[in-house]
Amino acid sequence: MNMLLSEEQRDALQELMNISMGQAANSLARLIEAKITLSIPKISDVTPEQFVSMLSDQTVWYTRQSFLGSIKGEVISTLSKQGCDAIGKLMDYQLPLTQDRLNELLLELANILAGACLTGFAEQLSLNAKLSMPTMYSATSQHYHYRWASTLMMEVEFKVEVSQFDSKIVICLEEASVQTLLAKLQQLLE
Amino acid sequence: MPIPITIADDSLMSRKAVRRALPEDWDVEITEACNGKEALEAANSGKAEVLFLDLTMPELDGFGVLKYLHEQQSKTVVIVISADIQPEAKLLVDSLGAFRFLQKPLQPAQLRQALFDVGLI
C-alpha cells in the first residue's frame, strides 16, 4: 500500500506522531480533567479521491485548517457528534449548546488537538509550520478543492471514554513538502 | 561485569534514542524488546537489571509489564519513557513502582540523571 516510505521511515513518522499526539492529549486532558485514550498513528498514501471519500461521514463534524512554513498542507479534524454535549459541559459551556456555541466548541477542540499535534510533530523535526484558525467544513455544501495528485496522510485518534467522544486529526502534506519531510527524517535516523 | 539492561519499545527509532542517550562509558549488556511480552521474558531471564519501558506497545503494554513486575516484587529498576504524558498515566506508573517517568522525546540529560539518582552511574 505504501510505496513512498521505507519501514524505518514509517516507524519514525509513527513515533513522531505518537509523541505529538501524547502532547495534544495531555493539553486536552488537563482542560477537561478526563483521561484520553490514544490510538496507534496511521501513516498512508492517499489520492484526492480517497481523501474526499473520507469527508462524507454523517456521524461527525469536520473542521479544516491549513498550515504554511517549511512544510505545507492541511489538517482535517473530525469530531464525533456523539459526546459533544458531555465535552462541552467539561469545558464549562452552557447546555443545551446552540449551533453557534457548538461551532465554537468544535473549533476550540480542533485547534487544541490539531495545534499540539502539528506543532509537536514539526518541532521534533526542526521544521516550522504555522497553522491557520480552523473553519467548519461540510462536504454536502462545499466542494473540496485539491491541488495535489497524491500525498502522505498521518492520522491519529483520540477517545474520551467517559464522554463517548472521539476525534481524529488527519494531517495531509502537500506533495512538495513530503520530500522536505523525508530529508529531515533522514537526518534524525542517521 | 556488565550490567544487563533491556530497552523495551515497539519503535526502532525510540530504542535507538535510548541507546544514544546512555552514558558512553557505562558497561552494559543491552537486550532489545519490541513488546511487553519480550520485555517480561528479558526480565525473567535476568537480562533486565534496568528496564527502559515504553507504555504503548502491542501484545502487552507497559502498564501490564509494570503490574507483573510489581506483583513479583521484582528488583528490576524500571524507567518509563512515554509519549502518553497525561497525569493519570504518571499516577498509575508511580503506583506500580516505576523508579522514574520520563517524557518523550527523550532528553539524554534526564535519563542520565535518573541513572545517577538510582545509584547506577
Side-chain angles (χ1 to χ4, degrees), chain A residues 110-167:
Chain A
N111 214 27
I112 292 167
L113 293 176
C117 272
L118 185 72
T119 309
F121 181 76
E123 265 174 13
Q124 292 178 75
L125 287 162
S126 312
L127 291 165
N128 69 74
K130 191 170 161 25
L131 196 61
S132 69
M133 291 306 287
T135 53
M136 298 301 297
Y137 174 75
S138 158
T140 49
S141 63
Q142 288 157 276
H143 183 69
Y144 186 82
H145 296 283
Y146 43 82
R147 300 178 297 274
W148 37 272
S150 79
T151 194
L152 188 67
M153 184 174 89
M154 300 179 287
E155 182 181 337
V156 296
E157 184 172 7
F158 301 89
K159 278 191 203 298
V160 187
E161 315 262 353
V162 63
S163 309
Q164 296 186 303
F165 172 84
D166 83 88
S167 172

Side-chain angles (χ1 to χ4, degrees), chain A residues 8 11-12 15-16 18-19 22-23 25-26 29-30 34-38 40 124 188-190, chain B residues 9-14 16 20 54 56 58 83-90 103-106:
Chain A
E8 198 180 22
D11 167 79
E15 186 65 359
L16 292 172
N18 190 30
I19 293 169
Q23 294 167 348
N26 190 41
R30 285 172 185 271
K35 181 177 176 285
I36 295 163
T37 309
L38 310 175
I40 292 174
Q124 292 178 75
L188 201 71
L189 289 171
E190 271 160 13
Chain B
D9 199 307
D10 53 332
S11 161
L12 170 66
M13 184 177 72
S14 282
K16 274 190 189 168
R20 276 200 299 265
D54 181 28
T56 42
D84 187 348
I85 52 174
Q86 295 177 69
E88 203 167 309
K90 280 186 196 167
Q103 297 189 359
K104 287 183 182 178
L106 180 63

Side-chain angles (χ1 to χ4, degrees), chain B residues 35-37 53-66:
Chain B
N35 59 52
K37 277 189 180 167
L53 181 68
D54 181 28
L55 291 180
T56 42
M57 287 187 292
E59 301 286 331
L60 177 68
D61 67 12
F63 295 113
V65 173
L66 277 171

Side-chain angles (χ1 to χ4, degrees), chain A residues 37-50:
Chain A
T37 309
L38 310 175
S39 70
I40 292 174
K42 274 200 281 196
I43 314 286
S44 48
D45 295 337
V46 282
T47 62
E49 291 74 24
Q50 290 167 328

Side-chain angles (χ1 to χ4, degrees), chain B residues 69-90:
Chain B
L69 293 175
H70 194 59
E71 281 164 8
Q72 302 295 310
Q73 298 178 314
S74 158
K75 289 197 169 55
T76 294
V77 173
V78 184
I79 296 174
V80 168
I81 303 172
S82 174
D84 187 348
I85 52 174
Q86 295 177 69
E88 203 167 309
K90 280 186 196 167

